[in-house]
Every structure is written in structure tokens, then in C-alpha cells.
Amino acid sequence: QLAHLFVVSLSTGGRKAETLDLQRTCLEYARDGRPYATGRTFKLVRRIDGELRDWVLPDMATKAIEQQRRLVELIETIGPQRPPKKPKARDASVPTHLWLQVSGGGPSDRTKPLMHLDKAMRAYARALGMDERPSGQWLRPHRFRKTVARLAALALTQAPKVLMDV
């Protein structure tokens, strides 16, 4: 899941809330076949529920979203290892969020949406043996946003040598 999250974050440059709000049905295709993700943005909009927005996706991000959707559905089918002491009333609503809180409490947490993106990204970096504080700054979703902006600015000003070095 976190590998998918890294790819999607670097591909879209979305804010933390925008990335966490992506739904399982966010992947769509334009008439020309190009994939994009439909989600909501919340900053600088007057609506409390956000405003619809599209992100054009590279192939790798498209695959990451497709795989993540399948992974989430698989994780949710995994039942508890032993029956609960007291049966709980089931919520009739069907979860639609793309990112899950996989670890933590019990099996019921498997249907909860991921909330702590910063901690999840740092845990993934640790698992890969990467530095959680590259250049002395904590790894966090906003760094992905800045990286995408820098790369776009370099590409738009036609600085291929600098872009290649980055």
C-alpha cells in the first residue's frame, strides 16, 4: 500500500487531504484513452466538501491505483483470527476510500481509512532503509508536492541538463 502511495503522491503532487480523499473509483479514462484520477481539493475553495479536480496520471500511477484498489478489497476480506467475544453490529455502509489503516488495533481497523499519512510515509522509508529526514527535513507529503513543482518548473523553462541531474 505504501509503495502505491509513494508513486501516486509523486505523480500527482496532491496535498495530504487530496491524496487521502481519493476513492477506489477515482481512476477514469479520457476519450483519447489517457488515464486520470478524479478527486477533491479543499484548499482555496468555498465549499466545505471541497471541489472536484482531475489529475492526469502516468502509467505507473495508473497501475498503482488499480493495484491498490484490488489490495484494499483483498485486505477487507481477511477475517479475524479468532471469533470476537461479543458479536458487534456491522455497519451497512460500504467503504470507498482507497487507502487503509492496515496496522494498529484489531481486524475491524482494516476497513478504516488511513489518517496519518506522515507517519505512514516515514515508516515505509524506514522499511526500505531510506533516510526519514533527507537533507535534514522530515519526509512528509508536502515534500512530494514541492518535488513535483520543481520538476515541472525545470521542464517548463527547458532546462533538460538540470532536470536530468535532478
Side-chain angles (χ1 to χ4, degrees):
Q1 167 173 274
L2 296 174
H4 298 148
L5 186 62
F6 261 61
V7 169
V8 172
S9 295
L10 278 172
S11 298
T12 64
R15 294 178 179 90
K16 182 181 352 183
E18 295 166 342
T19 302
L20 288 175
D21 188 66
L22 288 175
Q23 303 296 302
R24 296 174 196 183
T25 57
C26 70
L27 190 58
E28 298 189 26
Y29 293 88
R31 288 184 190 170
D32 64 1
R34 285 193 297 179
Y36 64 94
T38 298
R40 292 183 293 171
T41 187
F42 301 95
K43 193 166 184 173
L44 304 176
V45 296
R46 294 184 181 193
R47 297 176 47 126
I48 195 155
D49 62 341
E51 193 172 280
L52 286 178
R53 148 171 207 173
D54 297 332
W55 288 272
V56 177
L57 298 172
D59 291 341
M60 185 178 280
T62 303
K63 288 177 186 172
I65 290 173
E66 288 170 344
Q67 290 174 358
Q68 179 62 23
R69 183 187 50 76
R70 290 193 306 270
L71 179 63
V72 164
E73 290 168 356
L74 176 65
I75 289 170
E76 288 176 340
T77 64
I78 300 171
Q81 297 300 317
R82 52 185 105 102
K85 293 178 184 175
K86 270 198 224 176
K88 293 181 183 177
R90 282 270 216 198
D91 183 4
S93 65
V94 176
T96 60
H97 45 272
L98 185 60
W99 314 106
L100 286 180
Q101 177 180 307
V102 178
S103 62
S108 63
D109 285 346
R110 291 190 191 114
T111 59
K112 291 182 181 175
L114 181 64
M115 300 300 290
H116 304 288
L117 195 52
D118 299 46
K119 287 167 68 175
M121 287 183 159
R122 288 197 290 265
Y124 184 61
R126 275 194 312 273
L128 293 177
M130 294 172 59
D131 187 0
E132 296 174 65
R133 295 183 58 152
S135 302
Q137 294 183 24
W138 285 107
L139 185 61
R140 60 190 191 282
H142 203 72
R143 289 198 67 181
F144 287 83
R145 188 169 172 76
K146 287 181 178 183
T147 298
V148 170
R150 286 183 185 119
L151 291 173
L154 289 171
L156 292 174
T157 58
Q158 296 183 5
K161 174 71 174 109
V162 176
L163 187 58
M164 285 173 46
D165 291 342
V166 170

